[in-house]
Each structure stands twice: as C-alpha cells, then as structure tokens.
Amino acid sequence: MDYAELSPRELLSLEFAAPAVTERAWHVGWDAGDGVPERLAAELLPPVIDFRTSGSTGESRLWRRLRENVWREAGMLADMVAPEKPEAVVSCVPPAHLFGALASVLVPAHLRVPVWHKPTFYGAMPPIEQRRVVVVATPWIFTLLLQHLAWVREMEHVTVLYGGAMIPETAGEFLAEAGPDRALIVEMLGSTEAGGIATRRWREGEPPPWTLFPDVSFAASGEPDDDGEVPLVINSPRLAFAPGERAPSVWEADDRVRPLDERRFHFAGRRSRLVKVNGRRINLDEVENALRGVLDCADLAVLPVADRMIGEHVDLLVVLKPGGALADLDLAAAFERMGVRPRRVHTVPRIERSALGKVRHLSTPPTSEAEEAQ
C-alpha cells in the first residue's frame, strides 16, 4: 500500500470528511516541524467543526463542536497514551467522525509523532521504523493484528486506542497473544454529542471499571432500578450543539451504568441495545460478540423488533459467505449461546455499518430470505 506524504499544514487544510483524508492511505510527520501543531490547528481548523452521528440509533444528525474543545479533547486522549512513550501512530479509523478526527489527526499532533492512516482492512501493516506505536482502532482491528502477529512482535510496545462499539472478544485474544509487557488497550466511551465521557486501561484478564474524563462529572439521574442501574447523565464543558442552538451543560447518553463511586462505573449497555424477551434481559452487543465465535458467516447483527404477543423480541441477520447457505450454519449452537431463540433469521446481502462498526439504524429488518426460528 502506498502512503501519500502530506505535511501537517496540508492535512489540516483539508476537511476531516474529505475523501483525500478518509479514503486514501497517507502519512504525516508531525515530528518533522512545519510549525507548532497548536498554532497550525488554531490557524487552519474552522472555529466551529461539524460532525455527524453514525446513524446507529436513529437518523444521522449534525452536531457542532468548538475548535478549542476538539483540540482540548485530543490532548486528553494523547495524555492517556503518553505514559507508554509512543513513537508513532498507525490509524485505522477514518477522520470523518469525531473519534477519527481526534485520534487519527490531532492525537499525533499533540504527541508530535508520525502517523500512518490505513483506510482498509486488507493488506500489510505499514513498514514503520519506530518500535513503540499507538494503533487507533475500530472493532475489526483486533482481527487484523492477530493476522499480523509478526508485525506486533517486532514492536517493543503496542497501545491500542479504541473508541468503537462494544469491544469484541478478539481484543482479549490479542492481549493474550501479544503479552502484557507488549500490549495495552486504552478504551474511550463517548459519542458525537458528548465527546469523550470515560476511559479504561487494561493489559490482561477482565477489563476494569470505567473512569470519567478529568473534566466530566455525573449529573443527577434518578433512583437506580432493580439491577442497580441508572441512565448515564453527565456534566461536561465539551458538549456539542445543534445548528442555531447553544451547547447544553448536561447530557443524557443512550447508555445505562452501575455507579461505583463519584468517578467510576460499570457499563451495562446502550439503552437501545437492551431488550427483554419473555422477561429475560439481553444486551444485543454482547450477544453479537458471542455469536461471532459460533457462526461461520461474513457478518451478523441482532436487531430488536416489536412483537404482538410479548412486546419485544429480536431477529438475527446473517450475511453468508460466498457459496454458503443458511443450512450450513450451526443455528442450534447460536441460539444456545444467545440464551433466547430469535423470532426470525434473515439472510441479507450486507449489513450497513458506520466507520466505527455500529450497525446503521434499522427499524425493521431489510427485505430478505427469512425463516422462522422454530
């Protein structure tokens, strides 16, 4: 893969969503001078920067963020990976969305290290000389790193900076293969509307609780439910605002959490991805991660659907591999892993996803071959 050489000034002169930034491979040497990064950002980025939501929980919407808040948040992300003394960044996240703009473009600027943007899953990792690297990740990056363990083992240290959907099981496999002395995952929980909310770091075993960003605090969110959970409601000075409106001081995310103290919590799941089927609560993100280890298919998704008899139910969408058939899949094992039998199983040609791996909003499954999951 050929990486286009861009100067910091050339990169910041382009819009984050420009095809030249999101769709091609490029390399920028923030360690090579070309002005002070903070001065360049203030000079070349617009005072208000527009980002769109992924469309995973509804129609895509435009949200605006102040330039100084975007730069500030990138600095906090840089501080989270700085203790590992990174010498380079390899990004697999397009800058069109907030996390990609922060981690792929502005975190390397803060760290003053070179960055390579790899826009596709296919092909080798970039042939970098540096041996302490931050890899900016979407869910599929862990599969890519497992496929390129020789590249990983050439590194003195690899920090995976992850800000996508629920982290896949392959993340734990990657940590086990790379070893705790060589690999670290730094996760960020956030949204286009709120920016970064919380973070956690782990090298092995089960991930620890989440800790709020330094400038974020809990806001009142009511009494916990029977599971000890509350909506995630925060105060933050970095909240985005809709066109023609002022930024709010409080934001309620589409998440439920179990608070541990004033700064830490366990994540229970996105509210839109928590359903109850016959009284059994299901986290659809967790179910999808589990099914990937059971079903030999190209892609899959579990979607909530309305059911006339019991109110809520789920459908399973499957993208078959070329030449495959639904009968080839071990659906019995999949249903056992799910803990519930879906209402229907649909085969579909593809599942639309955002750049960070989230399924595009679907109120009902697309037209497809389907069969009752009897």
Side-chain angles (χ1 to χ4, degrees):
M1 182 179 296
D2 294 328
Y3 289 83
E5 294 286 340
L6 297 175
S7 70
R9 179 174 292 275
E10 288 172 327
L11 178 62
L12 292 183
S13 296
L14 298 168
E15 293 184 359
F16 288 130
V21 179
T22 62
E23 297 176 8
R24 69 170 175 172
W26 46 260
H27 168 246
V28 173
W30 286 103
D31 56 334
D34 197 14
V36 178
E38 184 172 10
R39 178 176 58 78
L40 284 178
E43 174 188 343
L44 299 173
L45 295 179
V48 175
I49 304 174
D50 291 345
F51 295 98
R52 286 193 171 273
T53 56
S54 64
S56 60
T57 57
E59 294 301 320
S60 177
R61 291 187 60 190
L62 178 68
W63 291 94
R64 292 182 162 165
R65 310 186 70 83
L66 297 178
R67 175 179 57 206
E68 54 265 34
N69 286 341
V70 174
W71 179 255
R72 178 185 180 189
E73 185 168 333
M76 286 189 279
L77 290 179
D79 289 342
M80 293 173 190
V81 300
E84 280 61 51
K85 300 179 180 179
E87 301 167 345
V89 172
V90 174
S91 171
C92 301
V93 179
H97 299 291
L98 177 61
F99 178 65
L102 294 169
S104 303
V105 177
L106 300 181
V107 166
H110 275 274
L111 295 172
R112 301 200 182 191
V113 299
V115 55
W116 285 259
H117 176 244
K118 176 180 168 59
T120 68
F121 178 82
Y122 304 101
M125 299 296 284
I128 66 175
E129 297 178 357
Q130 294 80 3
R131 290 297 174 258
R132 301 187 67 86
V133 63
V134 173
V135 177
V136 182
T138 58
W140 56 259
I141 190 59
F142 297 104
T143 298
L144 183 67
L145 291 172
L146 287 167
Q147 292 174 353
H148 292 88
L149 281 174
W151 183 88
V152 171
R153 288 168 179 156
E154 288 178 355
M155 299 298 159
E156 183 179 335
H157 193 273
V158 176
T159 299
V160 178
L161 180 58
Y162 181 84
M166 180 171 285
I167 198 161
E169 292 181 358
T170 46
E173 296 174 24
F174 162 71
L175 288 179
E177 289 287 346
D181 294 332
R182 178 177 283 117
L184 166 72
I185 295 175
V186 177
E187 289 185 76
M188 188 190 78
L189 176 67
S191 66
T192 305
E193 301 92 334
I197 295 172
T199 185
R200 63 182 180 180
R201 300 160 55 91
W202 52 298
R203 293 184 180 274
E204 56 187 337
E206 291 297 316
W210 292 89
T211 300
L212 294 173
F213 269 49
D215 60 348
V216 173
S217 60
F218 287 126
S221 56
E223 291 296 319
D225 64 14
D226 293 341
D227 296 311
E229 297 170 6
V230 296
L232 178 57
V233 186
I234 60 161
N235 296 302
S236 171
R238 293 178 283 103
L239 297 179
F241 52 94
E245 299 180 8
R246 299 180 62 181
S249 59
V250 176
W251 178 257
E252 180 172 344
D254 182 37
D255 302 306
R256 295 192 67 82
V257 300
R258 291 187 292 275
L260 299 175
D261 53 37
E262 292 182 354
R263 304 292 304 165
R264 299 181 307 138
F265 62 88
H266 286 300
F267 181 72
R270 284 181 288 161
R271 187 164 39 203
S272 62
R273 301 287 285 164
L274 298 172
V275 300
K276 279 193 175 181
V277 179
N278 289 325
R280 178 190 177 100
R281 197 177 77 160
I282 300 171
N283 184 320
L284 300 184
D285 290 319
E286 291 179 353
V287 166
E288 288 180 1
N289 279 341
L291 290 184
R292 294 184 194 284
V294 176
L295 294 179
D296 184 20
C297 58
D299 197 4
L300 60 86
V302 182
L303 297 182
V305 293
D307 184 87
R308 183 173 58 86
M309 297 295 294
I310 63 173
E312 288 184 304
H313 216 308
V314 295
D315 280 4
L316 172 62
L317 275 60
V318 176
V319 180
L320 299 172
K321 289 184 175 180
L326 195 60
D328 299 332
L329 302 180
D330 191 349
L331 291 177
F335 299 161
E336 183 177 357
R337 181 69 70 91
M338 290 177 70
V340 66
R341 186 177 293 271
R343 189 186 62 167
R344 289 187 179 88
V345 178
H346 300 256
T347 58
V348 295
R350 66 184 179 277
I351 295 170
E352 296 292 338
R353 296 182 181 273
S354 72
L356 298 182
K358 296 178 181 178
V359 177
R360 299 286 188 185
H361 176 65
L362 293 172
S363 57
T364 58
T367 302
S368 62
E369 174 190 348
E371 65 176 43
E372 297 289 341
Q374 301 295 334

